[in-house]
Amino acid sequence: MATFLLHRTAPLPPPEAWRRLTDWTRHGAVVPLTRVTVLTAPPTGPGTLFVARSGVGPLTVDDRMEVVDWQPPTTTAPGHCRLEKRGRTVLGWAEIEVSPEPGGRSRVTWREEIGLRFLPRLVDPALKRTSEIVFGRAADRLLRMP
């Protein structure tokens, strides 16, 4: 399993940064070769299920996730979301925290543990670095998208 940690500061109030980061279908617009389908009715909360399908043609991988913790932020209190990966191939979890910063800004912390079944630990450093780049760019784009 590869674990990574990202930090971002956004010129957005925490509720808006949270909205942009936790609108799951938007992730498909910013993660290359990925489409996200939410399987449960809105609003998002504990029990929400969605699948991120990445790849091309028959070479695809489904990352099935469930929201297990959902505490949106306010302008004065931090928020936290935890996702558990429930699929056969992609393993691990992800956490997104959004905290208020001075001047109406937000501090974003994204932690994730990710692994691919059947891959040896030898590839964990490459998986970690690739994930940091892909998800770092995704977070940046999500925070910039209205």
Side-chain angles (χ1 to χ4, degrees), residues 120-141:
R121 288 186 167 180
L122 180 67
V123 302
D124 283 354
L127 180 58
K128 176 183 179 181
R129 186 65 188 131
T130 301
S131 296
E132 288 170 335
I133 292 168
V134 169
F135 292 108
R137 288 179 181 165
D140 293 342
R141 291 174 181 153

Side-chain angles (χ1 to χ4, degrees), residues 84-103:
E84 296 282 343
K85 295 176 181 289
R86 303 286 194 213
R88 295 182 196 176
T89 305
V90 183
L91 310 170
W93 51 266
E95 294 179 331
I96 299 170
E97 295 177 8
V98 178
S99 302
E101 290 281 305

Side-chain angles (χ1 to χ4, degrees):
M1 298 287 262
T3 304
F4 66 92
L5 174 66
L6 303 171
H7 293 286
R8 298 293 189 266
T9 301
L12 303 166
E16 179 60 17
W18 178 268
R19 182 191 71 76
R20 292 180 186 195
L21 291 168
T22 62
D23 181 343
W24 310 122
T25 56
R26 290 167 51 107
H27 285 242
V30 298
V31 177
L33 305 174
T34 299
R35 181 176 45 115
V36 177
T37 304
V38 178
L39 304 174
T40 51
T44 295
T48 297
L49 297 170
F50 60 96
V51 177
R53 174 170 277 179
S54 299
V56 178
L59 301 174
T60 60
V61 174
D62 285 349
D63 185 0
R64 184 179 175 93
M65 291 169 267
E66 179 181 358
V67 175
V68 296
D69 186 29
W70 182 262
Q71 300 169 5
T74 66
T75 55
T76 58
H80 178 263
C81 174
R82 181 174 172 95
L83 309 168
E84 296 282 343
K85 295 176 181 289
R86 303 286 194 213
R88 295 182 196 176
T89 305
V90 183
L91 310 170
W93 51 266
E95 294 179 331
I96 299 170
E97 295 177 8
V98 178
S99 302
E101 290 281 305
R105 299 167 65 86
S106 297
R107 173 77 166 171
V108 173
T109 303
W110 183 321
R111 290 181 198 86
E112 189 159 344
E113 180 180 87
I114 187 169
L116 298 171
R117 192 177 307 275
F118 311 119
L119 285 183
R121 288 186 167 180
L122 180 67
V123 302
D124 283 354
L127 180 58
K128 176 183 179 181
R129 186 65 188 131
T130 301
S131 296
E132 288 170 335
I133 292 168
V134 169
F135 292 108
R137 288 179 181 165
D140 293 342
R141 291 174 181 153
L142 287 166
L143 290 167
R144 284 194 307 264
M145 288 173 62

